[in-house]
């Protein structure tokens, strides 16, 4: 049985027996927080539990490495939507130690693309259109530096309202311990 079929079978039972009822909440975060974090599987349940967050408390935006890679990309748009439309009034950028993005080798990843059927001509076309594929795929060396870069992009974004604290933290994915890098409350004027 495929994973899709397993999910659909489980979901049918989940809905039939109203197992969704404990999770009913509104679209607005009760704690008025938006979190940008990594898509790492170790954080799915650990991060909210380590922060004492329950379903409905926060908006969570995920990207590889908890990075805002472009100030006008989808991640930043999601944060702005959370602030302006969904009543979030605080932003947390939370990276984690042992992040896979710190070890990404773009050339190797491009090789994997070719192995899985992406035509080398397509890769050349992407490069010739002005996108530096190697730089676009490049990971980061230090998670703290990366988190602080994303904090800086959000904090100084021309569309981010003044007075919104933007915090930077790094989590230990084994224990859930959070290390504070930047307290956004200290930057509010």
């Amino acid at each position: 049985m495929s994973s899709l079929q397993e999910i659909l079978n489980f979901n049918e039972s989940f809905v039939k027996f109203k197992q969704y009822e404990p999770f009913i909440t509104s679209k607005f975060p009760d704690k008025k927080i938006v979190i940008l974090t990594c898509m790492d599987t170790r954080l799915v349940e650990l991060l909210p539990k380590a922060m004492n967050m329950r379903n409905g408390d926060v908006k969570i935006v995920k990207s590889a490495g908890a990075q805002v890679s472009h100030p006008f990309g989808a991640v930043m748009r999601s944060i702005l939507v959370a602030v302006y439309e969904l009543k979030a009034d605080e932003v947390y950028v939370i990276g984690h130690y042992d992040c896979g993005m710190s070890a990404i080798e773009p050339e190797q990843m491009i090789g994997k693309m070719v192995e899985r059927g992406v035509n080398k001509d397509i890769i050349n076309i992407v490069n010739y259109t002005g996108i530096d594929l190697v730089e676009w795929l490049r990971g980061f060396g230090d998670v703290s530096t990366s988190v602080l870069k994303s904090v800086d992009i959000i904090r100084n974004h021309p569309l981010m309202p003044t007075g919104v604290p933007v915090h930077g933290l790094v989590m230990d994915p084994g224990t859930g311990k959070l290390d504070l890098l930047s307290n956004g409350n200290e930057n509010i004027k």
Side-chain angles (χ1 to χ4, degrees):
M1 182 183 312
S2 73
S3 62
L4 174 60
Q5 195 55 55
E6 285 179 26
I7 289 168
L8 292 174
N9 290 347
F10 175 85
N11 182 256
E12 184 178 345
S13 174
F14 182 84
V15 173
K16 180 179 178 181
F17 295 106
K18 299 184 179 187
Q19 291 175 300
Y20 56 83
E21 288 179 343
F23 304 101
I24 294 174
T25 187
S26 78
K27 66 180 179 179
F28 301 103
D30 293 336
K31 293 191 178 182
K32 299 184 185 261
I33 292 171
V34 58
I35 297 171
L36 169 60
T37 193
C38 185
M39 62 185 194
D40 191 290
T41 58
R42 297 171 290 179
L43 306 185
V44 171
E45 291 188 49
L46 179 64
L47 178 66
K49 293 221 187 295
M51 295 179 72
N52 193 31
M53 301 294 173
R54 295 184 342 259
N55 191 56
D57 282 348
V58 299
K59 289 294 181 184
I60 298 179
V61 178
K62 293 189 172 207
S63 73
Q67 292 184 296
V68 178
S69 58
H70 191 284
F72 288 94
V75 170
M76 191 65 219
R77 180 180 57 221
S78 295
I79 292 167
L80 291 170
V81 166
V83 169
Y84 284 107
E85 297 296 325
L86 301 172
K87 303 179 183 178
D89 59 15
E90 206 163 353
V91 180
Y92 288 72
V93 178
I94 305 176
H96 64 95
Y97 300 109
D98 189 34
C99 182
M101 278 301 290
S102 67
I104 294 288
E105 295 291 339
E107 294 83 1
Q108 289 178 7
M109 189 170 172
I110 292 168
K112 291 175 184 176
M113 291 175 186
V114 172
E115 287 173 14
R116 291 187 69 175
V118 175
N119 189 308
K120 288 181 184 180
D121 292 339
I122 298 296
I123 291 170
N124 290 334
I125 289 170
V126 170
N127 281 319
Y128 292 135
T129 60
I131 296 169
D132 184 340
L133 199 52
V134 170
E135 277 308 305
W136 184 66
L137 294 171
R138 186 173 308 287
F140 54 80
D142 176 64
V143 67
S144 296
T145 301
S146 179
V147 165
L148 291 173
K149 181 179 176 186
S150 290
V151 165
D152 187 59
I153 290 170
I154 298 166
R155 200 176 273 161
N156 295 302
H157 197 278
L159 302 178
M160 180 60 69
T162 57
V164 173
V166 181
H167 312 288
L169 299 99
V170 179
M171 175 180 250
D172 180 327
T175 66
K177 182 180 184 309
L178 291 167
D179 293 327
L180 179 64
L181 301 177
S182 180
N183 180 342
N185 294 315
E186 294 174 352
N187 296 298
I188 302 300
K189 296 172 181 132

